[in-house]
């Protein structure tokens, strides 16, 4: 039994989720990209129907916040007019697909094949997803996905179940993706409508013909200029509609990434737009903080205000996870240092998750800062 609520499903646009600041409406960009016109439409919709805040999720989707029951239908109409809405809830919930922002000629065709195959998949848990990580070397291994398409060292494609080091040579991508999803269900991967591939693999189940390793993965990219364009980061993956308007204005395609960054395709200079982080050494990039209070109804305290307060005092390579409650949405795995809001201050957990045993409890923001500044204090 946990003290927090486990929803077990992801919000969409057609099936939004209630939060502390209204409905959260998640837009899954078709083929992982936004035309400048679509980006402009989303920015306008965020201002018109929501509170102007736009999140970039860990699955490279965009979320509008502060939408009301009354404004939701008109929002959907506007987004549908820009081809940003699936035909129905079932199609929307099936389309859990992350694509590498660094594409090659094959990526779009593979995405179309997978999209068509989704309708022939078995009944999969709503968090079950796919990653098309088809650049020369994988970059999405840390992003949430259950079935991954990557390249082996020889450049040919493999289909790899998450949690297993080896994958199958791709010969008929659509059929193989369906077969692996069927294998997952038939091997007992789903319990009470939930389940993830890595958990099934961890129990010793391995799909057939998985014999090929992916190429050496690339490190997670940082903000700056890349061969495909300019990567810009958003503090905590959040921006205001004005920032998206400014990003859309020069007319570049935008590709959301699972790293709280957007790729401005083809840009040769870094934009100077308020709300964007272009310096890879900015300490705010080393802090992970969930929505927290007041926008999340389960939060026991502020997260992002504290993060901005602490960021200038972090040591050069130090990382920090700040969680509004013990659920730890923003960083479910263990972190070097976690601060968990409890309602009576913050618990400090070292090398653990937001709900692990703390080494210090009931810290005030000032006590945390003092701890950071004290020269001989144990490192936070
Ligand atoms: S971890 Fe953060 S976002 Fe998740 S439920 Fe708790 S307060 Fe809300």
């Amino acid at each position: 039994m946990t003290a927090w609520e486990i929803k077990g499903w992801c919000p969409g646009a057609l099936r939004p989720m209630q939060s502390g600041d209204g409905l959260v409406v998640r837009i899954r960009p078709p083929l992982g990209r936004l035309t400048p016109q679509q980006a402009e439409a989303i920015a306008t919709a965020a201002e018109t129907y929501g509170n102007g805040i736009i999140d970039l999720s860990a699955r490279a989707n965009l979320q509008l916040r502060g939408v009301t029951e009354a404004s939701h239908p008109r929002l959907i109409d506007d987004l549908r007019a820009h081809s940003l809405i699936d035909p129905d809830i079932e199609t929307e919930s099936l389309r859990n697909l992350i694509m590498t922002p660094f594409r090659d000629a094959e990526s779009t065709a593979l995405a179309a094949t997978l999209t068509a195959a989704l309708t022939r998949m078995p009944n999969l848990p709503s968090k079950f997803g796919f990653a098309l990580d088809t650049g020369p070397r994988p970059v999405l291994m840390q992003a949430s996905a259950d079935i991954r398409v990557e390249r082996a060292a020889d450049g040919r494609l493999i289909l790899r179940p998450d949690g297993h080091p080896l994958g199958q040579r791709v010969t008929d991508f659509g059929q193989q993706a369906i077969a692996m999803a069927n294998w997952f269900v038939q091997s007992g991967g789903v319990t009470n409508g939930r389940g993830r591939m890595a958990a099934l693999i961890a129990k010793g189940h391995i799909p057939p013909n998985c014999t090929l390793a992916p190429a050496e993965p690339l490190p997670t990219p940082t903000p700056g200029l890349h061969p495909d364009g300019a990567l810009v980061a958003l503090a905590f993956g959040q921006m205001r509609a004005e920032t998206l308007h400014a990003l859309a204005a020069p007319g570049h395609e935008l590709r959301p990434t699972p790293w709280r960054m957007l790729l401005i395709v083809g840009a040769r200079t870094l934009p100077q737009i308020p709300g964007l982080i272009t310096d890879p050494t900015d300490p705010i990039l080393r802090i992970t903080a969930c929505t927290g209070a007041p926008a999340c109804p389960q939060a026991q305290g502020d997260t992002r205000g504290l993060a901005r307060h602490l960021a200038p005092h972090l040591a050069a390579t130090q990382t920090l996870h700040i969680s509004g409650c013990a659920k730890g949405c923003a960083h479910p795995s263990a972190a070097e240092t976690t601060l968990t809001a409890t309602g009576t201050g913050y618990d400090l957990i070292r090398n653990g998750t937001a709900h692990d045993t703390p080494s210090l409890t009931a810290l005030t923001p000032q006590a945390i800062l003092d701890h950071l500044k004290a020269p001989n204090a144990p490192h936070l």
Side-chain angles (χ1 to χ4, degrees):
M1 191 66 182
T2 55
W4 61 88
E5 187 184 353
I6 298 173
K7 297 194 187 290
W9 58 279
C10 298
L14 296 170
R15 187 171 68 147
M17 185 181 277
Q18 188 69 49
S19 192
D21 57 352
L23 296 175
V24 174
V25 174
R26 180 173 293 176
I27 301 165
R28 303 176 186 206
L31 301 177
R33 65 189 179 201
L34 295 171
T35 64
Q37 294 77 17
Q38 288 174 321
E40 178 63 29
I42 292 171
T44 301
E47 288 167 328
T48 309
Y49 305 114
N51 59 13
I53 293 175
I54 303 166
D55 290 328
L56 178 54
S57 81
R59 291 195 184 206
N61 295 315
L62 295 179
Q63 295 182 163
L64 309 193
R65 303 194 70 94
V67 176
T68 64
E69 297 281 354
S71 66
H72 181 248
R74 284 175 288 134
L75 166 65
I76 295 300
D77 287 346
D78 278 11
L79 295 177
R80 183 168 277 129
H82 288 88
S83 305
L84 288 164
I85 297 293
D86 289 291
D88 50 56
I89 290 177
E90 191 190 12
T91 311
E92 175 180 85
S93 58
L94 281 170
R95 203 165 53 79
N96 270 336
L97 167 63
I98 306 179
M99 292 180 71
T100 170
F102 309 124
R103 309 275 163 83
D104 62 17
E106 268 183 294
S107 309
T108 304
L110 288 167
T113 301
L114 183 61
T115 304
L118 289 176
T119 57
R120 292 180 285 134
M121 296 277 175
N123 205 4
L124 294 165
S126 80
K127 288 186 182 284
F128 194 96
F130 300 82
L132 282 183
D133 198 359
T134 51
R137 290 166 59 189
V139 287
L140 298 178
M141 284 189 174
Q142 304 305 316
S144 177
D146 296 86
I147 296 180
R148 299 173 182 278
V149 186
E150 294 158 342
R151 290 192 188 277
D154 65 5
R156 290 166 66 187
L157 294 172
I158 64 169
L159 192 70
R160 186 172 67 84
D162 189 48
H164 190 56
L166 306 176
Q168 306 168 348
R169 173 78 72 209
V170 170
T171 52
D172 182 339
F173 172 49
Q175 285 304 328
Q176 284 174 271
I178 293 168
M180 193 174 283
N182 278 325
W183 172 87
F184 169 76
V185 173
Q186 287 158 9
S187 303
V190 187
T191 307
N192 297 328
R194 294 186 186 154
R196 299 302 302 266
M197 181 68 82
L200 181 65
I201 297 282
K203 290 180 188 164
H205 298 271
I206 309 295
N209 304 321
C210 288
T211 57
L212 295 166
E216 182 72 20
L218 289 168
T220 300
T222 54
L225 292 176
H226 294 258
D228 291 10
L231 258 185
V232 293
L234 308 170
F236 319 118
Q238 194 167 79
M239 64 182 151
R240 296 214 46 96
E242 304 90 270
T243 304
L244 189 55
H245 278 302
L247 276 165
H252 294 279
E253 176 183 315
L254 301 178
R255 292 182 190 157
T257 79
W259 316 304
R260 316 289 191 200
M261 292 185 232
L262 288 160
L263 179 71
I264 309 170
V265 179
R268 293 284 162 256
T269 55
L270 287 169
Q272 300 302 313
I273 297 173
L276 296 182
I277 299 172
T278 54
D279 176 0
T281 66
D282 192 317
I284 211 80
L285 296 175
R286 286 183 277 113
I287 305 183
T288 306
C290 72
T291 304
C296 176
Q298 299 191 60
Q300 302 296 311
D302 164 56
T303 52
R304 293 176 179 174
L306 178 63
R308 291 186 192 281
H309 186 59
L310 298 178
H313 307 283
L314 284 188
T317 58
Q318 195 172 11
T319 59
L320 188 60
H321 170 208
I322 304 179
S323 188
C325 78
K327 189 173 175 184
C329 296
H331 199 302
S333 55
E336 179 188 352
T337 305
T338 299
L339 294 166
T340 301
T342 62
T344 55
Y346 294 84
D347 283 356
L348 189 154
I349 300 122
R350 291 196 176 89
N351 301 315
T353 68
H355 51 270
D356 281 339
T357 305
S359 49
L360 295 169
T361 59
L363 296 170
T364 63
Q366 188 58 47
I368 298 165
L369 198 53
D370 291 346
H371 200 79
L372 276 171
K373 287 178 171 171
N376 297 318
H379 217 33
L380 251 183

